[in-house]
Amino acid sequence: MSQDSTVARADDLSKGSAGFTSFVARVLEQLAVSAWLPAAMLTAVGALLVTMHRESTSDVGAAVSIMSSASWTVFIVWAFGLVLATMVTQAFSFGVIRALEGYWASGWALDWATRVRVRHHVRRSEVLHRRVVELHRRLFESARGRLLAEEERDHVDVWETDVYDIPPERQRVSDPATIAAALEIDWREKGDPAVAALFYRAAQRVGDYPTAPHRILPTRMGNVLRASEERLGLEGDRLERFVMDNHLLVPSRLMGQHDQFRDRLEMYSLLVFVFFALACAAGPLLAGVRGHPVSAPITGVALLLALSMLSYRAAIASARGYGTALVAMRDEISAHQTPG
């Protein structure tokens, strides 16, 4: 009987262990990959700052050495802290993206900041539009000689009409077939390459803004995503449901690219706030270290703020890729829905 009871207890322990492992696996499956890195940065860099504060040292290497020599109990606690931080960052990922887009809460300070930032981006959009028009005309003038020598004169007149926005009553060419044929030709490849590079760069920046001034948002990332919304022709809830409603019509390769850009957008957006929060904590924590009472907190805060800004630029680049993926999905869906 004792042997049977021992076997039964062993079976119970095995089942309990398997049940706990299964529970942990289910919990970890619910955590997105995009939330792990921000949570790891938050816990690891936060632990480093606390160690430097506790040991009153500005030597990062010494603080890391102290942390690595900690007992297994500390590492187990850190692992649980990492999982908890991942759950928290994942829970706020959507709100973080919305905040970086410029959808802020009400309040006199935030309302004032919204007005100031929107006016700034409206002015910037107008300047970029004027810059594109100027560079487009410079590019045309640099190509005019080659175009007159190598292309039909009617085509050159059509291009000039387009570049200089000549009104209909002053246009030299009115034949629709000639106009359509001319617009199929890319005359820009015969212009000055240096001017062309400036033109395409300015055109890309203009593409980061919505076409209508009243749709401009107070942040750069918000304008990039809203410009993508315009290219899709969807807004609000329809945009949020676009992928869910049409995922069966999209090839797995394109869906994978969409998921990658979306994960990067979430990850870098979370890193913006993680590094900013660490920068706010670095000042007080490093203020009393030995040897460098002033330079240590300034250096730490400056480094973390720089990482926050770099993360924001990476989030903007990911937003562009995300918008491009959505447009490609729209084109693929349209091709499937087109008869024949």
Side-chain angles (χ1 to χ4, degrees), residues 140 143-152 156 159 187 190:
F140 179 77
R144 184 190 290 273
R146 289 187 60 187
L147 294 176
L148 289 173
E150 300 174 10
E151 302 289 343
E152 296 181 15
V156 178
W159 297 327
W187 60 265
K190 298 183 180 180

Side-chain angles (χ1 to χ4, degrees), residues 243 253-263 321-322 325-326 329:
V243 178
R253 175 186 56 82
L254 187 55
M255 182 62 71
Q257 293 178 345
H258 163 271
D259 293 344
Q260 288 178 7
F261 281 117
R262 178 69 185 186
D263 288 344
Y322 176 64
L326 288 176
M329 292 170 67

Side-chain angles (χ1 to χ4, degrees), residues 235-283:
E235 299 178 14
D237 295 338
R238 293 177 61 204
L239 175 65
E240 295 174 3
R241 294 181 53 86
F242 175 72
V243 178
M244 292 186 292
D245 292 342
N246 298 282
H247 70 279
L248 294 178
L249 301 176
V250 180
S252 58
R253 175 186 56 82
L254 187 55
M255 182 62 71
Q257 293 178 345
H258 163 271
D259 293 344
Q260 288 178 7
F261 281 117
R262 178 69 185 186
D263 288 344
R264 293 175 191 172
L265 177 60
E266 290 183 357
M267 182 183 69
Y268 288 123
S269 298
L270 287 170
L271 283 173
V272 172
F273 278 82
V274 165
F275 284 128
F276 182 77
L278 290 170
C280 294

Side-chain angles (χ1 to χ4, degrees), residues 221 224-225 228 231 261 265 314-324:
M221 194 176 97
V224 169
L225 289 172
S228 299
R231 290 194 292 272
F261 281 117
L265 177 60
I316 293 173
S318 300
R320 289 196 191 98
Y322 176 64
T324 301

Side-chain angles (χ1 to χ4, degrees), residues 4-64:
D4 293 339
S5 62
T6 301
V7 172
R9 285 197 299 270
D11 290 341
D12 292 339
L13 289 174
S14 177
K15 291 178 181 179
S17 177
F20 177 75
T21 303
S22 176
F23 170 74
V24 172
R26 287 197 299 269
V27 171
L28 295 180
E29 285 176 358
Q30 301 302 315
L31 302 179
V33 175
S34 58
W36 279 106
L37 181 59
M41 285 291 177
L42 179 62
T43 54
V45 177
L48 177 63
L49 292 174
V50 170
T51 302
M52 295 173 68
H53 171 75
R54 187 180 65 243
E55 301 296 330
S56 188
T57 178
S58 60
D59 189 342
V60 176
V64 171

Side-chain angles (χ1 to χ4, degrees), residues 47-108:
L48 177 63
L49 292 174
V50 170
T51 302
M52 295 173 68
H53 171 75
R54 187 180 65 243
E55 301 296 330
S56 188
T57 178
S58 60
D59 189 342
V60 176
V64 171
S65 178
I66 294 171
M67 292 171 59
S68 62
S69 62
S71 64
W72 283 104
T73 305
V74 175
F75 284 103
I76 293 174
V77 172
W78 178 82
F80 277 103
L82 174 61
V83 173
L84 179 61
T86 304
M87 295 173 63
V88 172
T89 53
Q90 179 172 306
F92 287 97
S93 61
F94 181 74
V96 165
I97 293 176
R98 298 290 284 181
L100 291 179
E101 285 185 78
Y103 296 101
W104 301 332
S106 299
W108 70 267

